[in-house]
């Protein structure tokens, strides 16, 4: 069957499994080109199937030669109209590439928020993974979370607080720039966002692993966060997500206290803006991204998720070039938030119109290509655009 990219607004409705394979390989090759580094050896990545989670897993495995466990919620092929998610295939091909190099690459598919998943991972670490881990990456991005202690399901909402925000966004399906109005979050939505996107579940993971004696001496853990420019502060820094990230920082402080006896550390890592399944549906952000990419490309500082996370692992998590702010957060986003970069991005955003946003004035074509790459389309090096459904059914994560 022939594979074609299908979009519904800014969400993918199709996937090219072999493009996903090539994209994973391209990221692996990038890491190998940078050479080996001294890093973690036993790694657990929560939210491991795409974007920053996948990039973290790849740099740990192919840069530091680490065994890894990945947890993600993905779907496999159901029928010829539903071939599964890109993350499903990323998991499969990452495992295959890692095992070829003698590395352990265990995939758990399911709800990372659940107690059942936590217990399954704990048992695997005890019985088959050497008994301890030295790094936990928390990179979950989900719309909902069920608190297994209460049974209550919470839903997140990326909205401003106490004000209505109007801005321009990009519709990738129609390739249009349009005006978007976002109403303020309710108290229930703010609470739900904190529960889903905050640090409570992260704390619970670390607590359970520590209670079972599964954390190695010098253990590290990180949660990926974002602050971004003034253009997105209404949603991130000052909005419902900002409240959640503040709570995550409080969680990190408590985790740090609990890890003192292990000489361990907890790090909030404020990352740069990149093209992800989540970022393309956030109001205003796509318009900002096409301008940011243009400016950073010209300055030679544009990074994809693998470039960004590989740099962080080498120079910050396991290197001596750490950049912290006054709240103790790691700030590799300094390249993005450089004053000169932000001034040029702001000026460029003011020039955009529905007629010129796709022109060479911006990096729209790169932004769109990176989004298609996430789903296995237009991937450099891939030439396969047909699949046999029965072959896909045989693939196991």
């Amino acid at each position: 069957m022939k594979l074609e990219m299908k979009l519904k607004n800014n969400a993918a409705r199709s996937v090219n499994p072999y493009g996903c394979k090539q994209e994973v390989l391209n990221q692996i090759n990038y890491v190998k080109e940078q050479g080996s580094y001294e890093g973690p050896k036993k790694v657990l990545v929560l939210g491991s199937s795409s974007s920053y989670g996948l990039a973290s897993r790849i740099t740990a495995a192919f840069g530091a030669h680490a065994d890894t466990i990945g947890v993600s919620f993905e779907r496999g092929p159901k029928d010829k109209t539903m071939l599964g998610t890109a993350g499903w295939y990323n998991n499969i091909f990452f495992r295959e590439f890692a095992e070829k190099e003698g590395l352990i690459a265990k995939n758990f598919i399911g709800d990372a928020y659940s107690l059942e998943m936590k217990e399954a991972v704990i048992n695997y670490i005890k019985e088959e993974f050497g008994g301890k881990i030295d790094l936990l990456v928390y990179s979950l991005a989900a719309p909902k979370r069920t608190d297994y202690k209460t049974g209550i399901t919470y839903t997140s909402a990326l909205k401003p607080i106490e004000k209505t925000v109007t801005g321009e966004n990009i519709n990738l399906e129609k390739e249009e720039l349009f005006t978007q109005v976002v109403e303020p979050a309710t108290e229930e939505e703010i609470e739900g966002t904190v529960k889903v996107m905050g640090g409570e579940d992260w704390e619970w993971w670390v607590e359970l692993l520590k209670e079972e004696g599964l954390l190695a001496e010098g253990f590290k853990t990180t949660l990926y966060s974002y602050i971004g420019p003034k253009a997105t502060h209404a949603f991130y820094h000052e909005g419902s997500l900002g409240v959640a990230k503040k709570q995550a920082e409080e969680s990190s402080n408590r985790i740090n206290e609990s890890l003192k006896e292990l000489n361990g550390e907890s790090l909030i890592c404020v990352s740069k803006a990149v093209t992800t399944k989540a970022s393309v549906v956030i109001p205003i952000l796509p318009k900002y991204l096409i301008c940011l990419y243009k400016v950073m490309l010209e300055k030679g500082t544009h990074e994809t998720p693998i470039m960004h996370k590989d740099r962080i692992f080498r120079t910050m998590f396991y290197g001596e070039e750490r950049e912290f702010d006054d709240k103790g957060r790691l700030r590799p986003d300094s390249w993005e938030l450089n004053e000169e970069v932000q001034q040029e991005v702001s000026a460029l955003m003011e020039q955009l119109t529905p007629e010129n946003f796709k022109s060479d004035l911006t990096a729209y074509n790169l932004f769109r290509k990176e989004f298609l790459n996430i789903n296995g389309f237009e991937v450099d090096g891939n030439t396969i655009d047909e699949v046999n459904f029965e072959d896909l059914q045989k693939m196991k994560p």
Side-chain angles (χ1 to χ4, degrees):
M1 55 186 292
K2 188 79 171 179
L3 298 170
E4 296 180 354
M5 186 63 197
K6 298 176 184 177
L7 294 174
K8 179 64 175 177
N9 296 322
N10 285 15
R13 292 290 181 262
S14 57
V15 64
N16 183 332
Y18 297 106
C20 291
K21 179 179 183 178
Q22 184 64 49
E23 178 64 14
V24 170
L25 181 59
N26 290 349
Q27 293 185 47
I28 291 171
N29 287 339
Y30 173 82
V31 171
K32 287 184 174 181
E33 288 168 3
Q34 313 313 306
S36 299
Y37 64 93
E38 287 299 319
K41 298 304 177 188
K42 294 286 185 177
V43 179
L44 170 58
V45 181
L46 305 175
S48 60
S49 58
S50 62
S51 187
Y52 279 151
L54 177 61
S56 299
R57 198 177 185 191
I58 289 174
T59 187
F62 294 93
H65 311 292
D67 295 325
T68 62
I69 300 170
V71 181
S72 59
F73 191 88
E74 299 293 346
R75 300 186 306 276
K78 183 177 180 181
D79 55 46
K80 292 184 179 181
T81 63
M82 297 180 64
L83 300 183
T85 57
W88 176 266
Y89 297 104
N90 291 341
N91 286 332
I92 290 171
F93 295 121
F94 170 86
R95 177 182 55 76
E96 289 184 1
F97 288 128
E99 288 178 348
K100 284 181 180 178
E101 301 207 7
L103 299 171
I104 297 172
K106 174 67 175 179
N107 293 321
F108 284 90
I109 309 300
D111 182 5
Y113 298 124
S114 71
L115 180 60
E116 292 77 11
M117 180 58 76
K118 291 175 173 65
E119 290 175 339
V121 171
I122 284 170
N123 289 334
Y124 178 78
I125 294 172
K126 286 181 179 179
E127 298 169 7
E128 301 183 56
F129 202 64
K132 291 186 184 295
I133 62 171
D134 54 8
L135 174 66
L136 167 61
V137 174
Y138 195 91
S139 186
L140 292 178
K144 294 183 179 182
R145 171 194 168 209
T146 297
D147 180 334
Y148 66 79
K149 295 184 180 181
T150 65
I152 299 173
T153 297
Y154 296 92
T155 301
S156 63
L158 301 186
K159 291 185 176 182
I161 294 177
E162 296 182 348
K163 60 182 176 182
T164 298
V165 174
T166 300
E168 290 182 313
N169 205 347
I170 296 171
N171 183 310
L172 286 169
E173 178 191 7
K174 298 178 180 179
E175 296 197 82
E176 294 178 348
L177 188 68
F178 68 97
T179 300
Q180 187 171 25
V181 179
V182 187
E183 299 298 330
T186 64
E187 288 300 319
E188 181 180 356
E189 288 174 325
I190 294 171
E191 179 188 8
T193 305
V194 170
K195 280 286 188 176
V196 178
M197 305 298 289
E200 183 178 63
D201 183 66
W202 180 31
E203 279 191 82
W204 291 0
W205 269 99
V206 175
E207 182 181 294
L208 287 171
L209 290 163
K210 185 171 181 282
E211 287 177 354
E212 296 291 336
L214 305 183
L215 304 183
E217 180 76 12
F219 167 81
K220 299 179 189 293
T221 185
T222 186
L223 178 144
Y224 295 144
S225 187
Y226 183 67
I227 292 177
K230 292 181 180 179
T232 63
H233 276 189
F235 299 99
Y236 277 103
H237 199 50
E238 301 165 357
S240 57
L241 188 58
V243 179
K245 295 309 180 186
K246 182 178 180 181
Q247 192 279 325
E249 291 166 19
E250 296 169 357
S251 289
S252 185
N253 290 336
R254 288 190 290 270
I255 293 171
N256 260 319
E257 284 298 314
S258 74
L259 294 178
K260 282 184 176 179
E261 63 192 79
L262 295 171
N263 295 312
E265 65 177 339
S266 173
L267 296 164
I268 293 289
C269 179
V270 184
S271 303
K272 75 172 289 290
V274 293
T275 309
T276 69
K277 291 182 292 184
S279 67
V280 299
V281 298
I282 296 171
I284 300 175
L285 190 60
K287 178 184 176 182
Y288 167 73
L289 290 179
I290 66 174
C291 296
L292 175 70
Y293 292 1
K294 179 69 173 181
V295 172
M296 294 189 77
L297 278 170
E298 291 175 347
K299 296 182 181 301
T301 56
H302 175 67
E303 291 177 312
T304 60
I306 189 60
M307 296 167 72
H308 190 55
K309 287 307 166 193
D310 188 66
R311 173 168 69 91
I312 292 168
F313 271 61
R314 292 173 188 272
T315 66
M316 295 189 178
F317 289 168
Y318 298 96
E320 299 179 356
E321 300 175 27
R322 292 183 164 191
E323 299 177 45
F324 287 103
D325 62 17
D326 58 2
K327 293 186 178 181
R329 299 173 297 199
L330 203 59
R331 298 301 299 269
D333 64 333
S334 60
W335 291 9
E336 173 187 352
L337 297 187
N338 172 275
E339 185 175 350
E340 182 179 331
V341 169
Q342 286 301 308
Q343 287 177 352
E344 292 182 25
V345 171
S346 295
L348 187 54
M349 289 180 70
E350 292 180 2
Q351 298 178 50
L352 296 197
T353 68
E355 291 72 36
N356 70 12
F357 79 96
K358 293 189 293 182
S359 70
D360 290 342
L361 185 67
T362 73
Y364 171 80
N365 289 333
L366 174 62
F367 169 68
R368 183 177 175 83
K369 183 178 187 298
E370 288 183 355
F371 176 70
L372 296 181
N373 288 171
I374 293 171
N375 303 287
F377 293 94
E378 295 189 14
V379 176
D380 293 341
N382 180 59
T383 59
I384 303 174
D385 60 3
E386 293 186 10
V387 296
N388 184 306
F389 181 70
E390 287 70 28
D391 291 341
L392 299 184
Q393 288 181 303
K394 297 175 184 176
M395 296 181 182
K396 304 299 178 185

